[in-house]
Amino acid sequence: MTGTATKLGLMASALAMTLAAPAIAQDKPENLTIIAHRVHQTVATAEGNDITANWQAENGVGIEWVTLDTGALHERLFRELQLPETTIDIAFFLNTHAVESVTTLLEPLNAHQAANPVEDIEDIFPGLRDAMTFNDELYGIPFRHASSCFHYNARLLEEKGIEPPETMEELIEAARALTFERDDGTKVHGFLINGLGYANTVDLARAWNGDFITLDYEVATTGEGMMNAVQMLRDFYEEGVMPRNWAAIQDEEVNTWMQTGRAAMTTTSCGRNRIYNDPEKSEEAGNIKTVALPVAAAFKDQFDVAPAKVEFWTMVIPANSQNKDLAWDLVRTMASKESTLMAALNGNGPVRASTYDSPEMQEKLAYAADEKAVLLVGRVPLPPFDNAAKASDIFVEELQAAVLGMKPVADAMESVKTRVEPLLPQ
Amino acid sequence: MREGPTRRAGKLAALALIAIWSGLPILIVVLSSFKPPREILAFPPKLLFSPTFENYRALIVRWPEFFEALQSSLIVTTGATILTVVVTTLAGYVYARVRSRKLAASAFMMIVIRMVPPIVVTLPLFPVVNWLRLNDTHTVLILLYATFFVSLNTWIMKAFIDQIPVELEEAAIIDGAGVWQILRHVIVPLAAQGMIAASTFVLIFSWNEFLFAFIFTTTEAKTAPLILSEMVGAVDGVEWGVLFAAATLQLLPILIFVIAVQKYVIAGMTAGSLKG
């Protein structure tokens, strides 16, 4: 009888284990899925410097990266967030989409942070954390930033006997002096920025502490800063400092013109320094220097450098994802000090102040101190709100009209104010 | 009347202009894929250069997923083409040989479906496809691509089959052939030209399609156009050489196919145009 009972017991145990096995396996999935831009995967998983490798080995869980272009990524993410459940465990999320209404679709992170905290979270630049905090609840952990710097072709400056500008006024004069015709007949333009976006114009306005829309949702286009910036672009266009096709120039063209020496100076992401000085791609490799954007002389006592634009990506966990605790554990691993430094050495824009102080970082990045200086004073080019895309379209339309001389600068900026104000959150 | 030399020269010049207009961008892409990266966008442009396979090597090393995506494109394109050709040949035969009000209504419905912009049905389909667990599978793309080409290709096949004399089928019936035998031994061999023409349309569409692939795939069934889009959207600067190499590889199979079957494509486009 006892033998029979034992056999039955063993059989029951075996059956129970068989039935329970899938449930146990489900506790830890085979893979976590991350939806991201390819650049995130590249900087996180570079060969020999993979910030996720130890975590994968320790947890026995793989990582599946789904990479998409920026617009496509958010379009896909928002569709996934609407489903009853999603297979996405972690998503990379651009600051421009961080509006309060989206928080209902994301996992609140305060409880996770309390139970299993991200190492020294205070070390992450506060402006980046604050942008993902709504009603005191944190919804994303910053991972990557792209801050604007001032890039100039040192060879051309030296050729013309010009010192690197230290104020905005000097920059304007340098741009004029650097506009000339090369011996082969090619024109060199003293200054060039993207003509189809608003962000780099906001950078210029910040040299006078100006703005497009302030963080408290005031349209500031008629303020001194933006008026000066747009007038400067208008003058540059009229004088030929910027090319005639400026209104069609995109970031990729700016890169090409800097790489071929057809443009002498620009304002764009600090990280572009790498491609401007890449000997495989650039004819001006080694000549392009990157520093913080100079501030206007009148603001020298307020800022060391212009509070240029800072845009950033955060890691979020969808509210409808299935492995939230495990996803959080991976997020905190990827946000640790060590991971931040490793990713920075792989080419990421680090979100921790301490990373810039590390000797490895200072050795690798000639402009590390300048980038840190920008991060300490910089802010997003536009606060997030539902009509942000429409508002930026209006700004670009009026900006182009002003720069091309179709409208007086003051009228165009007044028109932006009138048209954008109704779009702002009330 | 003989053509004058001026008129002839004018025609040739117009043809040359059209050829340059259409072919030059493709030529630039292909040639640039063999240029060293820093010479691709050099100003003034460099027409003479030492060809290199560096961009192709970089493509293999940095974008291995591009080749998996090409494989996916091949599976989806082949599947959609076969499915469409089979379905539309059968449908075209019915429309060519059978007359009824219900069929006329269904033909009208097909035209209406063809007019619906794909995006209108795509987004509502997303949760349905998700629920059916068909997301990120080749099957969903094959079904969608075939669906959108059934109407056009059915009409192409109908036009071809209309030109096959009914008497041939009647003779086959007298010899004891059934419907399937008629289809297999009479219709299909004579409509083969139309089938090739019809397959070309769906093949080109499936190979290059972006929207459906973007919405319904994630990793497993990702097709090549999605990877090309990612290359263009690089935040740290587009690698033009790698992009042009990928574009050349993406272009090559379809270009070879279209050149090989171009006479059938023209036949397909003009099918039925001489009927009174």
Side-chain angles (χ1 to χ4, degrees):
Chain A
M1 185 68 190
T2 312
T4 310
T6 308
K7 280 178 191 169
L8 281 172
L10 282 171
M11 282 171 69
S13 305
L15 184 66
M17 281 172 73
T18 311
L19 292 173
I24 292 166
Q26 274 171 11
D27 285 341
K28 274 205 175 172
E30 199 178 317
N31 284 313
L32 282 191
T33 302
I34 301 179
I35 186 167
H37 190 284
R38 187 180 165 86
V39 73
H40 303 127
Q41 183 185 7
T42 308
V43 296
T45 63
E47 208 176 332
N49 230 8
D50 185 341
I51 65 172
T52 66
N54 286 344
W55 184 90
Q56 290 185 67
E58 281 164 17
N59 289 279
V61 176
I63 295 175
E64 186 169 35
W65 289 85
V66 177
T67 56
L68 293 166
D69 187 13
T70 307
L73 189 165
H74 290 91
E75 199 277 333
R76 178 63 186 257
L77 176 63
F78 282 116
R79 238 174 327 115
E80 290 280 346
L81 291 175
Q82 311 286 340
L83 296 172
E85 64 180 59
T86 177
T87 53
I88 291 169
D89 298 296
I90 297 171
F92 280 79
F93 196 74
L94 193 60
N95 61 285
T96 47
H97 296 274
V99 290
E100 192 169 354
S101 57
V102 86
T103 56
T104 53
L105 303 169
L106 302 176
E107 172 76 356
L109 300 178
N110 281 3
H112 291 284
Q113 173 65 13
N116 189 17
V118 168
E119 177 190 7
D120 191 8
I121 198 166
E122 301 297 321
D123 183 35
I124 296 175
F125 290 107
L128 313 189
R129 279 184 286 124
D130 292 349
M132 283 306 288
T133 305
F134 297 92
N135 302 319
D136 294 329
E137 183 74 51
L138 183 66
Y139 286 90
I141 300 295
F143 180 79
R144 173 188 175 84
H145 76 84
S147 305
S148 284
C149 280
F150 170 58
H151 309 266
Y152 63 88
N153 187 321
R155 180 185 65 79
L156 290 174
L157 262 75
E158 201 180 316
E159 212 172 278
K160 295 283 168 192
I162 301 167
E163 287 295 313
E166 289 184 355
T167 63
M168 205 57 188
E169 290 77 5
E170 287 177 16
L171 186 153
I172 293 170
E173 285 315 308
R176 289 181 173 133
L178 287 163
T179 301
F180 64 101
E181 209 168 276
R182 288 200 303 226
D183 292 341
D184 64 1
T186 311
K187 189 166 180 183
V188 174
H189 294 274
F191 189 78
L192 183 65
I193 56 166
N194 182 331
L196 286 159
Y198 67 94
N200 295 138
T201 306
V202 172
D203 280 332
L204 299 177
R206 296 273 172 82
W208 291 274
N209 199 22
D211 238 319
F212 168 18
I213 299 171
T214 62
L215 293 178
D216 51 356
Y217 297 98
E218 291 290 330
V219 180
T221 50
T222 51
E224 184 202 0
M226 186 56 80
M227 291 288 283
N228 284 347
V230 180
Q231 188 61 54
M232 166 187 155
L233 293 175
R234 166 69 194 141
D235 294 343
F236 278 179
Y237 185 78
E238 205 173 11
E239 295 163 16
V241 172
M242 291 201 303
R244 301 305 294 170
N245 64 337
W246 167 78
I249 294 273
Q250 300 193 44
D251 280 340
E252 278 312 316
E253 277 92 42
V254 175
N255 293 344
T256 306
W257 286 45
M258 287 297 290
Q259 287 171 329
T260 51
R262 293 172 68 198
M265 304 190 292
T266 188
T267 298
T268 187
S269 297
C270 306
R272 295 279 155 87
N273 173 281
R274 192 176 54 79
I275 56 167
Y276 294 162
N277 288 302
D278 181 346
E280 276 189 17
K281 294 175 189 163
S282 173
E283 291 172 33
E284 294 291 342
N287 296 331
I288 311 294
K289 305 294 174 207
T290 298
V291 293
L293 181 68
V295 70
F299 290 86
K300 273 276 182 190
D301 54 344
Q302 281 187 46
F303 300 101
D304 289 334
V305 301
K309 80 166 170 72
V310 175
E311 292 200 272
F312 60 96
W313 290 84
T314 54
M315 294 177 281
V316 298
I317 299 173
N320 56 348
S321 79
Q322 306 306 300
N323 307 295
K324 291 174 188 169
D325 288 339
L326 203 60
W328 169 256
D329 197 50
L330 177 57
V331 165
R332 58 179 287 283
T333 302
M334 291 172 76
S336 73
K337 283 186 173 180
E338 189 190 356
S339 296
T340 306
L341 177 60
M342 281 169 77
L345 296 175
N346 293 341
N348 197 34
V351 293
R352 286 178 176 274
S354 64
T355 310
Y356 284 97
D357 300 331
S358 73
E360 297 103 308
M361 189 67 182
Q362 285 173 356
E363 190 189 325
K364 186 180 165 79
L365 224 61
Y367 57 87
D370 286 81
E371 192 172 60
K372 185 181 176 185
V374 176
L375 275 160
L376 289 171
V377 292
R379 50 187 189 263
V380 291
L382 198 63
F385 60 101
D386 289 334
N387 288 314
K390 200 171 174 183
S392 54
D393 284 348
I394 291 170
F395 180 82
V396 172
E397 182 192 322
E398 297 288 352
L399 170 72
Q400 290 188 345
V403 174
L404 302 186
M406 295 153 68
K407 252 185 185 182
V409 171
D411 289 1
M413 291 300 103
E414 185 60 48
S415 175
V416 174
K417 192 174 166 68
T418 313
R419 295 170 67 190
V420 168
E421 272 175 349
L423 303 175
L424 294 173
Q426 299 304 312
Chain B
M1 200 176 75
R2 275 179 68 94
E3 232 175 20
T6 318
R7 195 178 163 83
R8 194 176 161 76
K11 269 189 180 174
L12 279 173
L15 277 175
L17 196 69
I18 293 167
I20 291 169
W21 180 264
S22 330
L24 194 63
I26 295 170
L27 189 69
I28 289 172
V29 168
V30 175
L31 288 179
S32 297
S33 74
F34 294 104
K35 277 186 176 178
R38 60 184 278 179
E39 287 183 23
I40 292 172
L41 297 172
F43 191 85
K46 291 184 178 168
L47 297 176
L48 295 174
F49 61 93
S50 311
T52 171
F53 283 98
E54 176 54 29
N55 297 320
Y56 289 89
R57 193 194 64 80
L59 176 66
I60 293 166
V61 172
R62 286 180 221 155
W63 294 85
E65 64 269 42
F66 175 72
F67 297 93
E68 288 164 26
L70 267 184
Q71 212 176 342
S72 243
S73 287
L74 189 68
I75 294 168
V76 169
T77 303
T78 310
T81 307
I82 292 172
L83 180 63
T84 311
V85 169
V86 170
V87 168
T88 58
T89 304
L90 296 175
Y93 177 68
V94 173
Y95 281 115
R97 296 294 187 247
V98 183
R99 300 275 179 272
S100 85
R101 277 189 181 178
K102 282 180 186 168
L103 271 181
S106 72
F108 177 71
M109 269 307 292
M110 280 211 299
I111 293 168
V112 170
I113 287 168
R114 178 74 193 164
M115 288 173 180
V116 174
I119 192 73
V120 172
V121 289
T122 307
L123 292 177
L125 261 182
F126 182 73
V128 178
V129 168
N130 204 50
W131 179 72
L132 290 170
R133 306 220 174 257
L134 282 177
N135 234 331
D136 203 20
T137 62
H138 296 124
T139 312
V140 69
L141 292 185
I142 290 170
L143 289 173
L144 282 168
Y145 294 165
T147 304
F148 271 85
F149 267 81
V150 160
S151 53
L152 174 70
N153 284 4
T154 298
W155 286 103
I156 290 174
M157 290 312 299
K158 177 187 178 305
F160 267 95
I161 295 167
D162 274 341
Q163 291 170 23
I164 300 170
V166 182
E167 289 78 5
L168 290 175
E169 287 176 56
E170 289 168 351
I173 291 166
I174 290 166
D175 289 341
V179 175
W180 290 111
Q181 283 173 310
I182 290 172
L183 273 169
R184 197 174 146 199
H185 299 295
V186 179
I187 300 298
V188 169
L190 291 173
Q193 198 182 31
M195 290 163 74
I196 293 171
S199 70
T200 308
F201 294 119
V202 66
L203 191 135
I204 294 171
F205 172 81
S206 308
W207 187 256
N208 295 322
E209 203 278 334
F210 178 83
L211 181 68
F212 291 135
F214 162 58
I215 291 184
F216 295 109
T217 68
T218 310
T219 49
E220 300 298 319
K222 210 170 181 177
T223 55
L226 296 183
I227 307 286
L228 290 176
S229 149
E230 264 189 74
M231 289 178 181
V232 176
V235 292
D236 46 0
V238 176
E239 291 188 275
W240 293 105
V242 175
L243 175 63
F244 288 149
T248 303
L249 291 181
Q250 155 84 3
L251 178 74
L252 216 56
I254 210 79
L255 198 65
I256 293 169
F257 177 82
V258 171
I259 289 170
V261 301
Q262 61 175 317
K263 67 176 181 182
Y264 301 109
V265 178
I266 294 162
M269 289 166 90
T270 55
S273 61
L274 294 178
K275 279 176 74 74

Coordinates of all heavy atoms in Angstrom, one line a residue, chain A residues 342-378:
Chain A
M342 N 30.7 53.1 -20.4 CA 31.0 52.2 -21.5 C 30.3 52.6 -22.8 O 30.9 52.7 -23.9 CB 30.5 50.8 -21.2 CG 31.5 50.0 -20.3 SD 30.8 48.5 -19.6 CE 30.9 47.4 -21.0
A343 N 29.0 53.0 -22.6 CA 28.2 53.4 -23.8 C 28.8 54.7 -24.4 O 28.9 54.9 -25.6 CB 26.8 53.6 -23.4
A344 N 29.2 55.6 -23.5 CA 29.8 56.9 -23.9 C 31.1 56.6 -24.7 O 31.4 57.3 -25.8 CB 30.1 57.8 -22.7
L345 N 31.9 55.6 -24.3 CA 33.1 55.3 -25.0 C 32.8 54.7 -26.4 O 33.6 54.7 -27.3 CB 34.0 54.4 -24.2 CG 34.6 55.0 -22.9 CD1 35.3 54.0 -22.1 CD2 35.4 56.3 -23.2
N346 N 31.6 54.1 -26.5 CA 31.1 53.6 -27.7 C 30.5 54.6 -28.6 O 30.0 54.3 -29.7 CB 30.0 52.5 -27.5 CG 30.5 51.3 -26.8 OD1 31.7 51.0 -26.8 ND2 29.6 50.5 -26.2
G347 N 30.4 55.9 -28.1 CA 29.9 57.0 -29.0 C 28.6 57.6 -28.5 O 28.0 58.4 -29.2
N348 N 28.1 57.2 -27.3 CA 26.8 57.7 -26.8 C 27.0 59.0 -26.1 O 28.1 59.3 -25.6 CB 26.3 56.7 -25.8 CG 24.8 56.9 -25.5 OD1 24.1 57.3 -26.5 ND2 24.3 56.7 -24.3
G349 N 26.0 59.9 -26.1 CA 26.0 61.1 -25.4 C 25.6 60.8 -24.0 O 24.5 60.5 -23.7
P350 N 26.6 60.8 -23.0 CA 26.3 60.3 -21.7 C 25.4 61.3 -20.9 O 25.5 62.5 -21.0 CB 27.6 60.3 -21.0 CG 28.5 61.2 -21.7 CD 28.0 61.3 -23.1
V351 N 24.5 60.7 -20.0 CA 23.5 61.5 -19.3 C 23.9 61.8 -17.9 O 23.2 62.4 -17.1 CB 22.1 60.9 -19.4 CG1 21.6 60.9 -20.8 CG2 22.2 59.5 -18.8
R352 N 25.1 61.3 -17.5 CA 25.6 61.5 -16.1 C 26.7 62.5 -16.1 O 27.7 62.4 -16.9 CB 26.1 60.1 -15.6 CG 25.0 59.2 -15.2 CD 25.6 57.9 -14.7 NE 24.6 56.9 -14.3 CZ 24.1 56.9 -13.0 NH1 24.5 57.8 -12.1 NH2 23.2 56.1 -12.7
A353 N 26.7 63.4 -15.1 CA 27.7 64.4 -15.0 C 29.1 63.7 -14.7 O 30.1 64.1 -15.2 CB 27.4 65.4 -13.9
S354 N 29.1 62.6 -13.9 CA 30.3 62.0 -13.5 C 31.1 61.4 -14.7 O 32.3 61.3 -14.7 CB 30.0 60.9 -12.5 OG 29.2 59.9 -13.0
T355 N 30.3 61.0 -15.7 CA 30.9 60.4 -16.9 C 31.9 61.3 -17.5 O 33.0 60.9 -18.0 CB 29.9 59.9 -17.9 OG1 28.9 59.2 -17.2 CG2 30.4 59.1 -19.0
Y356 N 31.6 62.6 -17.6 CA 32.4 63.6 -18.2 C 33.7 63.8 -17.4 O 34.7 64.3 -18.0 CB 31.7 64.9 -18.4 CG 30.7 64.9 -19.5 CD1 29.4 64.6 -19.3 CD2 31.1 65.1 -20.8 CE1 28.5 64.6 -20.3 CE2 30.2 65.1 -21.9 CZ 28.9 64.8 -21.6 OH 28.0 64.7 -22.7
D357 N 33.7 63.5 -16.2 CA 34.9 63.7 -15.3 C 35.9 62.5 -15.4 O 37.0 62.6 -14.9 CB 34.5 63.9 -13.9 CG 33.6 65.1 -13.7 OD1 33.7 66.1 -14.6 OD2 32.7 65.1 -12.8
S358 N 35.4 61.4 -16.0 CA 36.3 60.3 -16.1 C 37.5 60.5 -17.1 O 37.3 61.1 -18.1 CB 35.6 59.0 -16.5 OG 35.3 59.1 -17.9
P359 N 38.7 60.1 -16.7 CA 39.9 60.3 -17.6 C 39.7 59.7 -19.0 O 40.1 60.3 -20.0 CB 41.0 59.6 -16.9 CG 40.5 59.3 -15.5 CD 39.0 59.3 -15.5
E360 N 39.0 58.5 -19.0 CA 38.8 57.8 -20.4 C 38.0 58.7 -21.3 O 38.3 58.9 -22.5 CB 38.0 56.5 -20.2 CG 38.8 55.5 -19.4 CD 38.2 55.4 -18.0 OE1 38.1 56.5 -17.3 OE2 37.8 54.3 -17.5
M361 N 37.0 59.3 -20.7 CA 36.1 60.2 -21.5 C 36.8 61.4 -22.0 O 36.7 61.8 -23.1 CB 34.9 60.6 -20.6 CG 33.8 61.2 -21.3 SD 33.0 60.1 -22.5 CE 31.8 61.3 -23.2
Q362 N 37.6 62.0 -21.1 CA 38.3 63.3 -21.4 C 39.3 63.0 -22.5 O 39.6 63.8 -23.4 CB 38.9 63.9 -20.2 CG 37.8 64.6 -19.4 CD 38.3 65.1 -18.0 OE1 39.4 64.9 -17.7 NE2 37.4 65.7 -17.3
E363 N 39.9 61.8 -22.4 CA 40.9 61.4 -23.4 C 40.3 61.2 -24.8 O 40.8 61.6 -25.8 CB 41.7 60.2 -22.9 CG 42.9 59.9 -23.8 CD 43.5 58.5 -23.4 OE1 43.4 58.1 -22.3 OE2 43.9 57.8 -24.4
K364 N 39.1 60.5 -24.7 CA 38.5 60.2 -26.0 C 37.8 61.4 -26.7 O 37.8 61.5 -27.9 CB 37.4 59.1 -25.7 CG 36.8 58.5 -27.0 CD 35.8 57.5 -26.7 CE 34.9 57.2 -27.9 NZ 35.5 56.3 -28.9
L365 N 37.2 62.3 -25.9 CA 36.4 63.3 -26.4 C 37.1 64.7 -26.1 O 37.0 65.2 -25.0 CB 35.0 63.3 -25.7 CG 33.8 63.5 -26.6 CD1 33.7 62.4 -27.6 CD2 32.5 63.5 -25.7
A366 N 37.6 65.3 -27.2 CA 38.3 66.6 -27.0 C 37.4 67.7 -26.5 O 37.8 68.6 -25.8 CB 39.0 67.0 -28.3
Y367 N 36.1 67.5 -26.8 CA 35.1 68.6 -26.5 C 34.3 68.2 -25.2 O 33.2 68.8 -25.0 CB 34.2 68.9 -27.6 CG 33.5 67.7 -28.2 CD1 32.2 67.3 -27.6 CD2 34.0 66.9 -29.2 CE1 31.5 66.2 -28.1 CE2 33.3 65.8 -29.7 CZ 32.1 65.5 -29.2 OH 31.4 64.4 -29.6
A368 N 34.8 67.2 -24.5 CA 34.0 66.7 -23.3 C 33.6 67.8 -22.4 O 32.5 68.0 -21.9 CB 34.7 65.6 -22.6
A369 N 34.6 68.7 -22.0 CA 34.3 69.8 -21.1 C 33.3 70.7 -21.6 O 32.4 71.2 -20.9 CB 35.6 70.5 -20.7
D370 N 33.4 71.0 -22.9 CA 32.4 72.0 -23.5 C 31.0 71.4 -23.5 O 30.0 72.1 -23.3 CB 32.9 72.3 -25.0 CG 34.1 73.2 -25.0 OD1 35.2 72.7 -24.8 OD2 33.9 74.4 -25.1
E371 N 30.9 70.1 -23.9 CA 29.6 69.4 -23.9 C 29.0 69.4 -22.5 O 27.8 69.7 -22.4 CB 29.8 68.0 -24.4 CG 28.4 67.4 -24.8 CD 28.5 66.1 -25.5 OE1 29.1 65.1 -24.9 OE2 28.0 65.9 -26.6
K372 N 29.8 69.2 -21.5 CA 29.3 69.2 -20.2 C 28.8 70.6 -19.8 O 27.7 70.7 -19.2 CB 30.4 68.7 -19.2 CG 29.9 68.6 -17.7 CD 30.9 68.2 -16.8 CE 30.4 68.2 -15.4 NZ 31.5 67.9 -14.4
A373 N 29.6 71.6 -20.2 CA 29.2 73.0 -20.0 C 27.8 73.3 -20.6 O 26.9 73.9 -20.0 CB 30.2 73.9 -20.5
V374 N 27.6 72.8 -21.8 CA 26.3 73.0 -22.5 C 25.2 72.3 -21.7 O 24.1 72.8 -21.4 CB 26.3 72.4 -23.9 CG1 24.9 72.6 -24.6 CG2 27.3 73.2 -24.7
L375 N 25.5 71.0 -21.2 CA 24.5 70.2 -20.5 C 24.0 70.9 -19.2 O 22.9 70.7 -18.8 CB 25.0 68.8 -20.3 CG 24.8 67.9 -21.4 CD1 25.7 66.7 -21.3 CD2 23.4 67.4 -21.5
L376 N 25.0 71.6 -18.6 CA 24.7 72.2 -17.3 C 23.7 73.4 -17.4 O 23.0 73.7 -16.5 CB 26.0 72.6 -16.6 CG 26.8 71.4 -16.1 CD1 28.2 71.9 -15.6 CD2 26.1 70.7 -15.0
V377 N 23.7 74.0 -18.6 CA 22.8 75.2 -18.8 C 21.8 75.0 -19.9 O 20.8 75.7 -19.9 CB 23.6 76.5 -19.1 CG1 24.5 76.9 -17.9 CG2 24.5 76.3 -20.4
G378 N 22.0 74.0 -20.7 CA 21.1 73.8 -21.9 C 19.7 73.4 -21.5 O 19.5 73.0 -20.4

